[in-house]
């Protein structure tokens, strides 16, 4: 994969998350730094949150960048948002031949910007979520 194409795609996803759309109010983007697949690196991804009450189900995908190498990953999260407060939940990250379960916690910084952490066996990351 070409690194410039990946960055262009990530920028387009971020712009799409910031642009109001009539049917895409659950679209979001994430940028994380953490340890996955035995290496430190950055995750750039996007997803779509489907909500029922305070609960959300968010499937997503992205690219994991490490040491000049890129790997695609997928994930799905189920979470509950406490009114005007934290979001807590569980998730699973799929990459290569590994499926990693994890717990997630996000705290709001601004109305559509949150700091987020994921922790699980052989996987942990911290970063920012925009949208959702």
């Amino acid at each position: 994969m070409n690194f410039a194409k990946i960055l262009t795609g990530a920028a387009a996803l971020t712009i799409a998350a910031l642009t109001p759309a009539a049917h895409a109010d659950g679209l979001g983007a994430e940028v994380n730094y953490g340890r996955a697949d035995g290496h430190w690196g950055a995750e750039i991804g996007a997803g779509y949150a489907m909500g029922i009450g305070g609960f959300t189900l968010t499937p997503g995908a992205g690219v994991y960048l490490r040491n000049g190498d890129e790997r695609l990953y997928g994930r799905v999260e189920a979470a509950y948002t406490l009114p005007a407060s934290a979001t807590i939940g569980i998730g699973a990250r799929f990459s290569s031949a590994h499926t990693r379960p994890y717990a997630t916690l996000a705290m709001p910084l601004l109305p559509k910007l949150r700091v987020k952490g994921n922790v699980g066996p052989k996987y942990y990351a911290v970063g920012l979520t925009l949208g959702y």
Side-chain angles (χ1 to χ4, degrees), residues 31 33 39 46 58 74-75 82 99 106 128:
V31 176
Y33 183 76
H39 301 279
T58 309
R75 66 172 175 80
L82 302 168
T99 299
L128 295 173

Side-chain angles (χ1 to χ4, degrees), residues 20-123:
H23 301 290
D25 59 357
L27 189 62
E30 292 188 5
V31 176
N32 298 316
Y33 183 76
R35 186 166 175 87
D37 299 331
H39 301 279
W40 289 95
E43 295 177 328
I44 301 172
Y48 188 85
M50 297 169 277
I52 300 172
F55 292 93
T56 58
L57 180 65
T58 309
V63 63
Y64 178 62
L65 308 169
R66 64 177 176 94
N67 299 330
D69 188 24
E70 304 93 21
R71 291 184 183 222
L72 297 177
Y73 70 90
R75 66 172 175 80
V76 62
E77 293 179 357
Y80 180 76
T81 301
L82 302 168
S85 186
T87 300
I88 56 174
I90 58 171
R93 182 181 186 276
F94 314 97
S95 68
S96 302
H98 303 292
T99 299
R100 305 278 189 221
Y102 61 89
T104 186
L105 173 68
M107 299 291 291
L109 297 175
L110 297 171
K112 289 287 188 177
L113 181 67
R114 294 178 291 167
V115 63
K116 180 180 178 186
N118 300 330
V119 177
K122 298 185 179 181
Y123 170 66

